[in-house]
Amino acid sequence: MDSSLPFIIAAIAVFVVIAILLSLSGRKGGSGGNRQKGRAAIIREASHKLSVNPHNPAGLIPLGELYFTEQLWDKAYPLYDTMFTIAPAHHEIDPLIASLRQGICAIKLNKINEGMKGLLSAYKLAPNNADVNYYLGYAFFKSSVYDKAIPLLKKTLMLNPEAQDVYCILGSSLYHSKHYRDSLPYLKRALDNNPEDKESLFNMADAMQESGMADKAMKIFLHLRPDPVFGARSCLACGINHAKNGQNDKAISDYEIGLRHENIPPETLLELRYRLAQCCFATNAIAKGIASLRQIQAMNPNYKDVAALLSRYQELSQNTNLQVFLSSGTSDFVALCRKFVAAFYKRANIKIMDISVNPNFTEILADIENTRWEDTEVFRFYRTTGSIGELFLRDFHARVRDSKADKGVCVTAGTFTEEAHKFIEGRPIDLVEKQGLTKVLKQIDMSN
């Protein structure tokens, strides 16, 4: 046997391998060009057919398929909209594909109402199709029809448990329909899939707040306070929580941080200023609270009870003693009540016999003596600005009688109802409403 034969065989084998590789590389190198050539041919041929007959399925189907696959929604939509319309008359067109893709293209172009037509039709044809349920559920979600979106999105997960995009939309639908606790597992799953989803994070915090998980919610709201989109609303939520816990200084800080954000939605802006004013009044920062209310009134003169609050606190800002009467601590309030008794009977000798502080009112029992008469009287002070009714006066009359006093004087920063006025007729009780209270308070000098 020739000793050179193995080398000849090996050389032939190498040449065969090289030839095969060159053949394959040549095919790969030309595939992109072929694809591009194929795309151009599809467009050219379909366009020619459609120029002759705009309803020609032989042109609509391949061109629609091409544009839909390439996600050129604005080009695919009119093609599938046409196919959706003419499908009953053309057996070549699959009615499910035409209706579903018409709806999908419309949704992608934010034409929700137009897309709803195709998707509802697709649902009648294939109620157990995962894509049909998802996109129809999404369309209802975008239309804020959450009660219809929720069952469709839940069904999507049953049909396709791997459909990760559903969790965010389903969680948001449950949240916006006020099913707060039910929304939490879906919103959490959405955040597991996309930790940067700030909207789902805010919705989850708010849902926690509404579900009694205030501590967990606060951690998220504090984290979101600097966010340019959800920061203002998060500051509002933080402030409400702090105010609810009596931490008005922290609440004021929250609201002021929120107001420093740009492009705040008008309803959030109004509520931030309104809540800020309330906390300012609670901390006796009357001027600051009034300034906030005036900003609200400039935006919306009819917002909540702003007009009434402005009237009340503008008066307070001009009457320090009225501020003390309505909002100061117990010791300052009791001292003012003692001064009131003295100012009520200017030319009499006053001897305070007893002072009683009740959660709803404060009472002073005093002996009053002047040159013409001598009485024992009970003064009851209500700090409310609302109306005092007959039942309160019955209770007060019983107190005057039990203390063997000659007379009672009932004082309020608000008013007494008509029934209350009728009740005291013929009874030894005088009523002092806001106007009379203010008149006496202006005579009192608390510096002495």
Side-chain angles (χ1 to χ4, degrees):
M1 184 176 179
D2 188 348
S3 61
S4 63
L5 185 58
F7 295 103
I8 294 171
I9 295 171
I12 292 171
V14 170
F15 281 122
V16 170
V17 171
I18 292 172
I20 292 171
L21 290 174
L22 287 172
S23 173
L24 290 173
S25 65
R27 289 176 186 175
K28 290 179 180 177
S31 64
N34 289 336
R35 280 201 302 270
Q36 191 63 32
K37 184 178 179 181
R39 181 183 190 277
I42 291 171
I43 295 174
R44 183 174 61 253
E45 292 172 10
S47 298
H48 174 70
K49 291 173 182 177
L50 292 174
S51 66
V52 176
N53 176 11
H55 289 174
N56 188 344
L60 291 167
I61 293 171
L63 194 57
E65 178 72 32
L66 176 68
Y67 289 148
F68 187 86
T69 304
E70 294 180 347
Q71 299 184 6
L72 300 174
W73 312 118
D74 56 331
K75 293 183 177 182
Y77 172 71
L79 298 170
Y80 281 106
D81 194 47
T82 300
M83 283 189 271
F84 169 61
T85 302
I86 68 173
H90 295 271
H91 68 275
E92 308 99 306
I93 300 173
D94 185 325
L96 175 60
I97 292 177
S99 56
L100 174 58
R101 290 189 173 183
Q102 186 270 357
I104 292 174
C105 292
I107 293 296
K108 297 293 186 181
L109 295 170
N110 202 32
K111 297 180 177 182
I112 307 301
N113 291 334
E114 293 89 336
M116 195 74 78
K117 294 182 294 184
L119 293 169
L120 286 169
S121 179
Y123 187 78
K124 290 178 182 177
L125 295 168
N128 293 320
N129 181 290
D131 285 340
V132 170
N133 279 271
Y134 171 74
Y135 283 105
L136 184 56
Y138 182 78
F140 279 124
F141 168 74
K142 293 294 285 184
S143 302
S144 301
V145 187
Y146 304 116
D147 59 329
K148 291 186 177 181
I150 291 167
L152 290 164
L153 295 169
K154 285 184 176 180
K155 190 174 179 180
T156 303
L157 283 177
M158 289 176 59
L159 295 166
N160 181 13
E162 302 304 316
Q164 302 298 324
D165 291 345
V166 178
Y167 290 99
C168 174
I169 305 168
L170 178 52
S172 296
S173 296
L174 288 163
Y175 165 76
H176 287 298
S177 58
K178 302 189 186 306
H179 294 98
Y180 297 114
R181 191 173 290 275
D182 291 340
S183 73
L184 290 173
Y186 296 104
L187 291 171
K188 185 179 184 305
R189 182 68 177 268
L191 287 164
D192 289 341
N193 295 331
N194 180 14
E196 299 303 314
D197 183 358
K198 297 296 178 63
E199 183 173 2
S200 290
L201 186 61
F202 177 86
N203 291 347
M204 187 170 76
D206 202 37
M208 286 177 171
Q209 176 74 28
E210 296 291 340
S211 301
M213 307 177 199
D215 291 342
K216 291 182 178 179
M218 274 295 285
K219 290 179 181 178
I220 299 174
F221 285 135
L222 288 168
H223 170 74
L224 285 173
R225 281 199 314 182
D227 185 79
V229 177
F230 296 96
R233 290 170 63 192
S234 297
C235 289
L236 177 60
C238 288
I240 291 172
N241 271 319
H242 281 137
K244 191 181 294 183
N245 294 323
Q247 299 172 302
N248 287 308
D249 289 337
K250 287 186 176 181
I252 288 172
S253 176
D254 292 326
Y255 299 140
E256 289 178 337
I257 292 171
L259 288 168
R260 287 199 287 269
H261 279 280
E262 297 179 355
N263 303 317
I264 304 173
E267 64 276 11
T268 303
L269 179 58
L270 288 167
E271 191 65 12
L272 278 167
R273 286 176 173 161
Y274 183 79
R275 298 276 184 171
L276 174 61
Q278 288 182 318
C279 286
C280 288
F281 296 142
T283 55
N284 285 325
I286 306 296
K288 189 174 180 180
I290 289 174
S292 188
L293 290 179
R294 283 177 176 156
Q295 288 175 312
I296 294 170
Q297 200 170 51
M299 288 181 64
N300 184 351
N302 300 317
Y303 189 74
K304 294 188 177 181
D305 58 343
V306 166
L309 288 173
L310 261 176
S311 176
R312 174 187 176 188
Y313 283 100
Q314 282 173 337
E315 182 181 13
L316 281 177
S317 67
Q318 300 165 8
N319 190 330
T320 305
N321 287 338
L322 188 56
Q323 288 185 42
V324 173
F325 189 93
L326 288 171
S327 55
S328 288
T330 301
S331 59
D332 289 340
F333 175 66
V334 170
L336 180 63
C337 291
R338 292 173 64 106
K339 293 272 189 179
F340 180 94
V341 175
F344 197 72
Y345 290 113
K346 284 184 180 179
R347 297 177 180 81
N349 294 320
I350 312 293
K351 184 178 181 182
I352 304 297
M353 306 300 295
D354 185 49
I355 297 176
S356 173
V357 179
N358 185 284
N360 299 316
F361 55 81
T362 292
E363 281 185 353
I364 293 179
L365 180 65
D367 283 341
I368 316 293
E369 180 181 353
N370 63 20
T371 55
R372 291 180 295 172
W373 52 264
E374 180 179 345
D375 272 348
T376 298
E377 298 187 7
V378 179
F379 287 78
R380 177 176 283 188
F381 298 90
Y382 285 101
R383 305 183 81 170
T384 179
T385 56
S387 293
I388 302 294
E390 178 187 347
L391 289 176
F392 293 93
L393 269 297
R394 287 184 179 277
D395 176 74
F396 182 51
H397 179 252
R399 169 75 175 111
V400 172
R401 187 181 61 241
D402 293 344
S403 63
K404 297 182 170 41
D406 301 291
K407 181 181 175 183
V409 179
C410 195
V411 184
T412 178
T415 59
F416 293 97
T417 64
E418 184 179 349
E419 291 77 12
H421 279 283
K422 287 181 180 178
F423 174 77
I424 68 160
E425 291 177 2
R427 292 183 171 89
I429 294 176
D430 286 344
L431 301 181
V432 180
E433 297 178 295
K434 180 182 177 181
Q435 186 175 357
L437 168 66
T438 303
K439 182 178 179 181
V440 175
L441 290 179
K442 286 181 178 178
Q443 302 169 19
I444 296 174
D445 183 0
M446 290 296 291
S447 62
N448 295 330

